Amino acid sequence: MRLLATFAVVGVWTATNFVHASSPAAPCVTPSVRREWRAFSKAEKADWIRAVNCLANLPHDPALTPSVDPSISRIPPVNASGSYYDDFVYIHMDLNTQIHFTGLFLPWHRWYVWVYEQQLSSKCGYKGVSPYWDWTKDSADFFGATIFKDADPVSGLGGWGEPAHDFRVPDGGFHSMPLSYPSPHTVRRNFTLQPFTAVSPFPEPLKLANTSFTPAEIRNLIAGNVGDFEGFHKDFETFEGPHSAVHLIMGGDLGGTCPENAPADCVPGPTWSANEPLFWMHHAMVDKVWYDWQHEHAANRETFFGGSVAALQNLSTYEQYPNGAPPYLHLDSHMPTDGLFPQASIGDVIDTRAGILCYVYV
C-alpha cells in the first residue's frame, strides 16, 4: 500500500558539496523576541505585509539551482521571470522529499523561517521579527477566527477565498500578490474541516482537522516524549497531526492544492504551500512548539535523531522510520539550500540562542 503523494514522494538526499556558514556566529547577547501576530501593532503588521510584497516584486535570483531529480520532485522548471519570493517557494518545492518525514523537518524549517526573515530585513528594510500564528487560539472556531477578519489592504491578512473564483483571497494585504508556481495565480484559501477523507494514510478519515491543534493537544505534545526527539517529531508531523492539520484545514495554497489553470500533470501536496504568506507564521509557530518542547525539560534541549530518507513506501516502513530511514543525520550534517544561501548545519540551529540564530519566543 503506497502512501499518498499529497504528503511526500520517496527520495534520497543526494546533495553534495556542503558549504559551511561563512563565518562563526557572534554570541547571542540580545536575542530578538518573536511574538504572536495579534500582539503586533497595526504599523508592525503593515510593515511585515509590505516587506513580503516587496520580496514578491524583486527579480528571480539566478543562483537558484535545483538539486533534486525532477522525476522525484515532480515540479516544473524554475520560472526565470518569477520573483525572489517565488525562489523561496521553489526551494521548498524542490526539497520537498528531503525536508518532510525526515530528520530535517524541524531544523530545516527553523532555518528556512530565519533566513526568510533575514531577507525581509536586508532586501526590503523590514524592521521587525518573524511573527508566529498561534493556531491553538483559533481551533474552536477556525473558520470564524479573527485572524481571517481583517480585510485592511495595508495591515490585514485577508479572509477566505471566493469559491466562484478558484478560492482566491479577495481582500487584505496579499489579495493581488503574484505567485508563479505551479502556474501564475494569486493566494488561494479553501476552508476544509474534514481534509482527511482518504482511507490511507489517514487512520481517522472523518476526523475534524481543528481537533489536532487544540490547546490541550499542543500542551500534551510539549509535555510528552521527554528526551525523545524522534517521538516528538513523529507526533508533530504525523499525517493527522497539528502541522499537517493546519495546512489542510486552510486548503488552497497552504494546503498545496493545484490552481484551476495548473498544468494537467500538477501534483498536489506540500510543494506549493510556501505560496501562502501565512506559511511563514504557521512554521514560526511550528518552530515555537519545538522551542517550547526543548525548554520543557533539560533532556530535550539539544537532543536530535533522524534519517535522511523519507520512508513512505507503506505504513509499516513509516512506523519503523517515522522521521527518516538511514543514512542517519547528526548535528554536523548540513542542510540543502539549492544554491541561494550558505548551508548551515543542524547544530547551527538546534538552539535559537546559539549557532547562527539569536531569538526567543514569548
Side-chain angles (χ1 to χ4, degrees):
M1 176 169 52
R2 190 170 183 80
L3 300 190
L4 293 181
T6 300
F7 288 89
V9 180
V10 177
V12 179
W13 181 11
T14 59
T16 55
N17 300 318
F18 294 134
V19 179
H20 287 271
S22 57
S23 61
C28 178
V29 177
T30 308
S32 61
V33 180
R34 291 185 176 178
R35 293 172 289 133
E36 211 270 341
W37 175 253
R38 283 160 284 206
F40 277 41
S41 68
K42 187 171 183 177
E44 289 173 326
K45 292 176 179 178
D47 193 36
W48 185 77
I49 290 172
R50 175 201 60 78
V52 174
N53 279 298
C54 166
L55 289 186
N57 284 281
L58 294 179
H60 156 70
D61 186 339
L64 175 63
T65 307
S67 58
V68 178
D69 188 315
S71 68
I72 295 174
S73 64
R74 302 174 72 184
I75 59 174
V78 172
N79 179 357
S81 65
S83 71
Y84 190 62
Y85 185 94
D86 291 323
D87 290 345
F88 265 93
V89 175
Y90 202 90
I91 294 175
H92 193 264
M93 290 162 46
D94 184 52
L95 300 175
N96 170 51
T97 58
Q98 300 173 6
I99 58 176
H100 298 104
F101 298 99
T102 73
L104 287 178
F105 173 68
L106 288 168
W108 189 90
H109 283 87
R110 173 173 281 180
W111 166 84
Y112 191 44
V113 174
W114 173 80
V115 78
Y116 177 77
E117 178 186 78
Q118 306 308 301
Q119 302 313 299
L120 289 176
S121 173
S122 64
K123 293 186 179 296
C124 292
Y126 179 56
K127 303 301 183 184
V129 298
S130 289
Y132 67 89
W133 167 26
D134 184 353
W135 15 254
T136 68
K137 297 178 182 292
D138 304 317
S139 61
D141 180 14
F142 196 84
F143 184 80
T146 58
I147 202 165
F148 300 119
K149 292 187 174 181
D150 191 346
D152 190 296
V154 175
S155 60
L157 298 174
W160 293 103
E162 297 179 316
H165 297 95
D166 194 22
F167 297 98
R168 294 196 301 269
V169 174
D171 50 22
F174 300 115
H175 76 279
S176 61
M177 180 177 165
L179 300 166
S180 292
Y181 300 109
S183 54
H185 67 285
T186 54
V187 178
R188 299 155 54 250
R189 296 175 189 154
N190 179 11
F191 175 72
T192 307
L193 188 59
Q194 285 183 295
F196 308 123
T197 52
V199 174
S200 175
F202 306 116
E204 298 181 64
L206 300 181
K207 182 176 181 177
L208 304 182
N210 62 333
T211 63
S212 294
F213 52 90
T214 64
E217 287 290 325
I218 301 306
R219 181 65 240 163
N220 289 338
L221 179 64
I222 292 168
N225 295 301
V226 177
D228 179 9
F229 180 89
E230 182 182 30
F232 170 76
H233 176 190
K234 178 184 178 182
D235 289 347
F236 205 169
E237 199 191 5
T238 190
F239 305 109
E240 294 177 351
H243 164 255
S244 297
V246 174
H247 276 281
L248 296 178
I249 197 172
M250 283 281 292
D253 283 299
L254 195 64
T257 62
C258 297
E260 286 180 345
N261 66 348
D265 60 353
C266 177
V267 178
T271 47
W272 329 111
S273 58
N275 274 329
E276 164 66 81
L278 268 72
F279 171 96
W280 306 98
M281 295 198 293
H282 169 41
H283 269 280
M285 179 61 181
V286 169
D287 185 51
K288 181 182 184 297
V289 174
W290 180 25
Y291 171 96
D292 289 344
W293 179 82
Q294 287 181 303
H295 289 80
E296 184 76 4
H297 295 281
N300 299 346
R301 189 62 62 94
E302 294 189 6
T303 184
F304 173 82
F305 178 83
S308 58
V309 181
L312 300 177
Q313 295 93 329
N314 52 59
L315 287 175
S316 62
T317 59
Y318 167 72
E319 289 295 332
Q320 184 178 5
Y321 302 110
N323 70 335
Y328 286 112
L329 301 163
H330 45 80
L331 293 182
D332 290 334
S333 299
H334 284 73
M335 300 183 290
T337 64
D338 276 0
L340 277 187
F341 305 100
Q343 288 184 330
S345 71
I346 293 171
D348 284 333
V349 300
I350 201 72
D351 184 346
T352 68
R353 294 195 61 170
I356 62 174
L357 307 178
C358 190
Y359 66 84
V360 296
Y361 284 99
V362 295

